[in-house]
């Protein structure tokens, strides 16, 4: 039998059913891209970040984010416009917001 090789970012865990039965599982992180600084069609600066295939775009000088489904380089489907975001315009703020927002959506 060949040994099982697990990628370094995969975490072993245990899932417990309501009846108390347990089962080993492996937690794999959501895919992510960015954050990157881009320019929109009018040349304005935009920060973009993808987490769990939710794409967050934050136009410099605004307090809202556009959220799409897709990837940074590929096609996207617009899901929400004008989602409020707090904090200074920075890659770190956008990445933190995007990760929290996506995990909250996926937990529903």
């Amino acid at each position: 039998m060949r040994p099982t090789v697990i990628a370094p970012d995969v975490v072993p865990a245990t899932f417990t059913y309501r009846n108390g039965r347990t089962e080993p599982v492996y937690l794999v992180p959501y895919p992510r891209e960015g954050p990157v600084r881009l320019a929109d069609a009018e040349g304005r600066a935009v920060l973009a970040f993808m987490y769990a295939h939710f794409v967050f775009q934050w136009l410099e000088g605004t307090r809202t984010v556009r959220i799409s489904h897709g990837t940074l380089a590929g096609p996207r489907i617009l899901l929400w416009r004008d989602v409020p975001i707090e904090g200074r315009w920075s890659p770190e703020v956008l990445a933190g917001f995007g990760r929290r927002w996506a995990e909250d959506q996926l937990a529903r």
Side-chain angles (χ1 to χ4, degrees), residues 5-52:
V5 178
I6 299 174
D9 55 352
V10 174
V11 178
T14 301
F15 181 81
T16 304
Y17 294 92
R18 288 184 191 170
N19 66 5
R21 189 178 117 226
T22 61
E23 189 154 343
V25 296
Y26 295 92
L27 304 176
V28 179
Y30 291 116
R32 64 176 287 168
E33 296 175 353
V36 296
R37 185 178 174 140
L38 306 171
D40 69 3
E42 297 161 8
R44 299 175 296 184
V46 176
L47 290 174
F49 176 66
M50 187 275 290
Y51 185 78

Side-chain angles (χ1 to χ4, degrees), residues 54-75:
F54 287 104
V55 178
F56 304 88
Q57 294 177 292
W58 190 8
L59 181 65
E60 187 174 22
T62 65
R63 296 204 150 280
T64 61
V65 175
R66 286 177 61 138
I67 303 173
S68 305
H69 188 266
T71 63
L72 293 184

Side-chain angles (χ1 to χ4, degrees), residues 63-67 78 80-85:
R63 296 204 150 280
T64 61
V65 175
R66 286 177 61 138
I67 303 173
L78 180 62
W80 292 276
R81 297 180 193 269
D82 302 326
V83 176
I85 185 171

